Amino acid sequence: MPRSQVGRDTDRVDGRLKVTGAAEYSGDYRAADLAHAHLVTSTIARGTITSIDPAAALASPGVLRVYAAPESRLALYEVTGQAAGFTENYLPLKSDVVRFHGQAVAMVVAETPEQARDAAALVTVTYDAQPPRTSIADEPHVPAGPTISGAPSSLEILAPGVGSIDAALAASDVVVEAEFHQNVQHHVGMEPHAILAVWDGDQVTIHAGAQIPGPYALAMAQRLGILPQSVRLITRYVGGGFGARVVLWSDTPLAAAAARELGRPVRLVLTREQMFTLTGHRSHLTQTVRLGASRQGVLNAVSHRSVAERPTTIAFTMTPAHSTSDALYRTPNLHVDAQVAVLDIPGSRAMRGPNEAPGAFALETAMDELAVATGVDPVTLRLRNQATAHPATGLPWSSKHLDECYRLGAERFGWAGRSATPRTRVDGQWLYGTGMATAIYPAHRRAGVVARVRLLDDDTAVVSTATSDLGTGSATMVAISGADALGIPVQRVTPEIGDTLLPPGAPAVGSSGTHATVPMVVDAARNVIAELKRLAVTADRSPWHGAAVEDLRYERGILHGLGHSLTFGRLLTTIGSPGIYKESAPGGQPVPGYVHHSFGAHFCEVRVNRFTGETRVTRFTTVADVGRVINAKAARSQLVGGVIFGIGHALLEENHLELDTGRLASSTLADYLVPVNADVPDIDVVMLDRPDPVLTGPLGDGSEDVGTGSLGARGLGEIGTVGSAAAIGNAVYNATGIRVRDVPITLDKLIDHL
Ligand code: MOS
């Protein structure tokens, strides 16, 4: 009898395909008569194109077309309605306006990628440039508008009799006020954006990495002026999303429109340099946190303001205080506010805990400053201010075990006995210090998710849903939850994802794929088992023909009853059916009366070189409260990866926007630094594995028919990256006595003070 694989270590179902190179990513697909595209990008940030001369490129070997702004022959159309939120607000190559440095201004299509690339270098463009708006400090600040979750960008809750947040702060015994800055950060997925577009009549098949296949294809259909059902998007293997593949950027429509115009399949692969301007980034950001507290560190007021950029091409709202400062600590007076400044900068978008990671860096650094100011231990301070109801709404959480994260983390890490006084642990050239911080991330509900379960006559099952696997392991999650629901081994379940021909799947966004998908798989499994029983009593050749459904019991892949036992495959074979399938009801509606978050606590040790200012992370412990864990191995990888993002955020990652040109200064992985193995210590990750009793989806009645073990999961994709940068910065302070509020904490910010 197979044990359920839920919560155990399961190898990736596609692991072997990936490590042997057999898995086909978007750019690996082939097509007969394939043509290759290469983009030419703008070298000004704001202004107009005055001329584009394609002659030299057209005369270059193998060149088929040069599509140049403003009057390219490409047919592209506005995207309206809901789909507009998934794309940009301008038509590429259809106007002479330049909106950011690195925008596509022409596209060359040739017989080979090399011919296209070389010819692209021969396209000459002249501009009428205007000075770009590049400074969020200098441009006017306006309210950011509603957050992703629809909450207002500004919120103020005051205790009775308190006139303003400033008054609440002024009345507090201890006040901490701190301003934080961070530069542009990039997703830098390993796989460059690559598109293959193949037309068949008025139907187009697109291979591209997409985090939200359904809306992506819908936006694509509108861009191309065709019906939604005329677009099939295949996104089976994806080399990293991190937010960069949420939006339909200019690349995919350009490739598809060129393929239509040319009458040949077209492949477009962005260069690494183009990835830095054409596929989004995290906005640079200024944040101000003010905390008012008693001498014992009990919060009386929390104020968190942010100013982010608003590119002209995309209306993404950066709201770092939302779901960090409005959710984390109990306080009678609360104020969060998000402002933006319009800039001529490439489109920014969600990136790796988009709001929560920078928001928690600011809040959790300020909390450490409050710990220093009050002399209260940082863990004690947080336990003292734990919220039992969501501060912004007053609602209870569906499940919250944050206190256990603190206690277990402190114990595993060896927090007790830490010296709160900086520079007390010295080993030769190295100053040692420890720090901690809290993690919080919303468990977004996703409506309209459908799974399909198919039982086959060879005793295997196929579970299908159009979600995508960005490298996170979602295909394996689908297989595990299907196996659990059917009571059969994972090896007998084939997951089918990443194709818009499948039932609408969960978006691989906002750490929501697993908890949006699993209950739907369970529901579909239940439906198909009911169908199996119905067939068993109605099919002529079935041993149960004429019996009642109530006489049958399904257990672990086998139907029992009235002295017979048959596997589902055997029954299907007996009655002459190759397979049966059922879908789930569309699920994922919010559960009223609750808020849902995942939580965690990070503990970190760093050493800082006294002479060079070099900071190394030496130890890291993260304890996460993420509900039911589906695949412990993949979950651990997600959390470790999140902490590594935190190392990047704290110590390495930034891009400078040149103020006079509007150019992002870094465009290679030699100068945009991300952590490499040598930067990453062994990261100790623990998951509490406490199933969320509310997030159980439509089922969870413990019936004999389906496994109930796969319910109660919450998201964990981004929780590792929220707060981890603050834990590192707090450890740097403990090591050196230097508080750096401007990440990344590079040596130049430390060395003069050491
Ligand atoms: Mo993510 S930044 O939720 O794609």
Side-chain angles (χ1 to χ4, degrees):
M1 230 164 46
R3 268 197 301 173
S4 171
Q5 198 61 23
V6 167
R8 304 157 69 81
D9 285 334
T10 305
D11 291 343
R12 302 291 174 99
V13 293
D14 47 12
R16 182 176 293 271
L17 287 176
K18 286 186 172 179
V19 298
T20 57
E24 288 191 302
Y25 289 72
S26 299
D28 296 331
Y29 284 91
R30 288 165 192 286
D33 205 24
L34 180 61
H36 299 267
H38 197 96
L39 296 177
V40 180
T41 55
S42 68
T43 54
I44 65 164
R46 186 186 192 188
T48 51
I49 299 162
T50 49
S51 73
I52 297 188
D53 182 359
L58 283 168
S60 186
V63 170
L64 300 164
R65 292 280 195 281
V66 176
Y67 300 104
E71 292 298 335
S72 72
R73 282 188 274 171
L74 300 175
L76 293 167
Y77 305 93
E78 298 289 345
V79 177
T80 57
Q82 272 208 317
F86 291 96
T87 188
E88 299 167 285
N89 63 7
Y90 71 100
L91 296 177
L93 308 191
K94 300 301 280 183
S95 103
D96 60 1
V97 179
V98 176
R99 296 165 172 85
F100 59 90
H101 199 293
Q103 174 186 322
V105 292
M107 180 171 66
V108 178
V109 181
E111 296 288 352
T112 72
E114 294 80 9
Q115 288 170 338
R117 177 198 63 200
D118 291 356
L122 301 175
V123 175
T124 47
V125 186
T126 59
Y127 301 97
D128 179 10
Q130 292 164 32
R133 295 162 290 183
T134 53
S135 164
I136 56 174
D138 295 347
E139 298 303 323
H141 299 169
V142 297
T147 68
I148 301 181
S149 61
S153 61
S154 177
L155 169 78
E156 189 173 68
I157 296 169
L158 298 172
V162 176
S164 69
I165 193 73
D166 291 343
L169 285 159
S172 303
D173 294 336
V174 182
V175 176
V176 165
E177 173 162 359
E179 192 174 300
F180 303 87
H181 299 278
Q182 64 182 58
N183 256 318
V184 166
Q185 299 171 345
H186 296 273
H187 310 87
V188 288
M190 270 209 293
E191 181 203 5
H193 284 218
I195 302 104
L196 171 65
V198 184
W199 288 83
D200 179 8
D202 62 356
Q203 303 278 314
V204 64
T205 300
I206 292 166
H207 295 270
Q211 294 181 233
I212 322 181
Y216 189 97
L218 188 65
M220 190 67 202
Q222 289 192 25
R223 263 288 179 266
L224 294 170
I226 58 179
L227 293 171
Q229 57 267 35
S230 298
V231 176
R232 179 181 180 189
L233 174 72
I234 297 174
T235 185
R236 207 155 281 149
Y237 298 103
V238 185
F242 315 134
R245 300 182 199 271
V246 174
V247 170
L248 178 69
W249 301 105
S250 55
D251 50 4
T252 312
L254 285 173
R260 176 165 61 184
E261 196 279 331
L262 198 58
R264 290 174 63 172
V266 168
R267 180 192 290 155
L268 170 63
V269 182
L270 297 192
T271 64
R272 180 55 66 180
E273 180 176 3
Q274 291 167 348
M275 294 276 288
F276 279 83
T277 66
L278 288 171
T279 67
H281 61 268
R282 170 144 55 211
S283 166
H284 59 317
L285 203 54
T286 294
Q287 301 182 74
T288 307
V289 175
R290 293 178 297 163
L291 303 176
S294 73
R295 282 182 222 296
Q296 291 73 40
V298 176
L299 287 168
N300 174 53
V302 172
S303 169
H304 188 160
R305 287 195 326 242
S306 64
V307 188
E309 69 198 31
R310 165 68 54 81
T312 64
T313 55
I314 195 158
F316 178 67
T317 300
M318 193 82 179
T319 53
H322 293 73
S323 114
T324 53
S325 291
D326 75 350
L328 202 38
Y329 297 115
R330 185 183 56 231
T331 178
N333 300 288
L334 173 66
H335 167 244
V336 301
D337 180 48
Q339 305 268 323
V340 291
V342 174
L343 299 187
D344 301 299
I345 187 169
S348 48
R349 191 65 192 192
M351 191 200 101
R352 309 192 214 147
N355 300 304
E356 297 76 8
F361 174 74
L363 175 64
E364 288 298 285
T365 304
M367 283 296 280
D368 199 64
E369 299 188 44
L370 182 63
V372 171
T374 55
V376 177
D377 174 80
V379 176
T380 310
L381 180 74
R382 285 164 173 87
L383 285 167
R384 215 165 259 181
N385 288 292
Q386 264 229 98
T388 49
H390 182 244
T393 60
L395 292 171
W397 275 281
S398 56
S399 173
K400 180 177 183 181
H401 301 280
L402 178 56
D403 51 347
E404 200 177 334
C405 294
Y406 292 131
R407 292 198 177 99
L408 183 61
E411 187 187 305
R412 289 180 72 95
F413 181 79
W415 181 259
R418 164 199 197 242
S419 171
T421 311
R423 296 186 80 119
T424 45
R425 275 180 65 205
V426 183
D427 181 13
Q429 303 187 13
W430 298 94
L431 306 173
Y432 278 78
T434 55
M436 58 82 55
T438 313
I440 182 167
Y441 194 83
H444 299 290
R445 302 291 282 166
R446 303 291 183 192
V449 177
V450 176
R452 180 175 70 210
V453 174
R454 188 161 182 232
L455 302 178
L456 301 180
D457 62 1
D458 63 355
D459 275 317
T460 66
V462 181
V463 182
S464 315
T465 184
T467 189
S468 66
D469 188 333
L470 312 173
T472 51
S474 44
T476 310
M477 170 273 291
V478 167
I480 294 168
S481 54
D484 181 63
L486 295 169
I488 61 177
V490 176
Q491 294 72 20
R492 280 167 53 193
V493 178
T494 306
E496 216 180 30
I497 63 165
D499 185 334
T500 52
L501 285 186
L502 302 173
V509 157
S511 305
S512 60
T514 296
H515 67 255
T517 302
V518 171
M520 300 310 115
V521 174
V522 175
D523 192 38
R526 152 172 286 212
N527 291 341
V528 83
I529 289 165
E531 174 69 3
L532 185 74
K533 288 180 177 176
R534 197 191 61 74
L535 265 180
V537 298
T538 53
D540 283 345
R541 280 173 278 175
S542 164
W544 292 290
H545 179 82
V549 163
E550 293 70 36
D551 295 330
L552 298 181
R553 188 164 51 88
Y554 175 94
E555 206 176 335
R556 300 179 190 279
I558 302 170
L559 269 188
H560 303 278
L562 307 176
H564 300 284
S565 288
L566 286 185
T567 66
F568 64 77
R570 185 76 202 170
L571 174 64
L572 291 169
T573 310
T574 304
I575 65 175
S577 165
I580 56 170
Y581 70 89
K582 279 287 169 188
E583 292 188 349
S584 68
Q589 285 74 18
V591 182
Y594 293 97
V595 286
H596 316 286
H597 284 89
S598 285
F599 300 93
H602 301 291
F603 294 83
C604 169
E605 179 193 73
V606 301
R607 55 177 184 168
V608 180
N609 189 291
R610 282 198 286 161
F611 303 109
T612 66
E614 175 187 355
T615 300
R616 311 295 301 176
V617 177
T618 48
R619 288 197 299 130
F620 213 105
T621 291
T622 293
V623 180
D625 170 24
V626 294
R628 173 91 69 188
V629 173
I630 305 298
N631 181 358
K633 189 175 184 180
R636 181 179 179 281
S637 293
Q638 287 286 282
L639 285 159
V640 166
V643 172
I644 295 171
F645 289 163
I647 295 174
H649 187 167
L651 301 178
L652 295 164
E653 293 188 63
E654 67 173 331
N655 204 348
H656 292 267
L657 186 70
E658 293 179 343
L659 290 179
D660 51 344
T661 64
R663 187 183 78 108
L664 285 166
S666 301
S667 60
T668 75
L669 290 177
D671 49 14
Y672 183 84
L673 302 181
V674 295
V676 298
N677 282 339
D679 298 311
V680 181
D682 193 28
I683 294 167
D684 173 38
V685 163
V686 192
M687 287 154 282
L688 296 183
D689 201 13
R690 290 185 174 278
D692 192 309
V694 174
L695 287 179
T696 54
L699 291 173
D701 60 358
S703 96
E704 59 166 10
D705 284 343
V706 294
T708 50
S710 51
L711 301 172
R714 280 197 312 270
L716 54 76
E718 283 151 293
I719 192 80
T721 196
V722 179
S724 42
I728 295 167
N730 295 342
V732 169
Y733 173 81
N734 184 246
T736 64
I738 304 165
R739 183 68 72 181
V740 182
R741 300 183 189 86
D742 180 1
V743 280
I745 306 170
T746 45
L747 20 139
D748 52 296
K749 294 170 190 164
L750 296 173
I751 198 161
D752 289 344
H753 311 282
L754 284 165

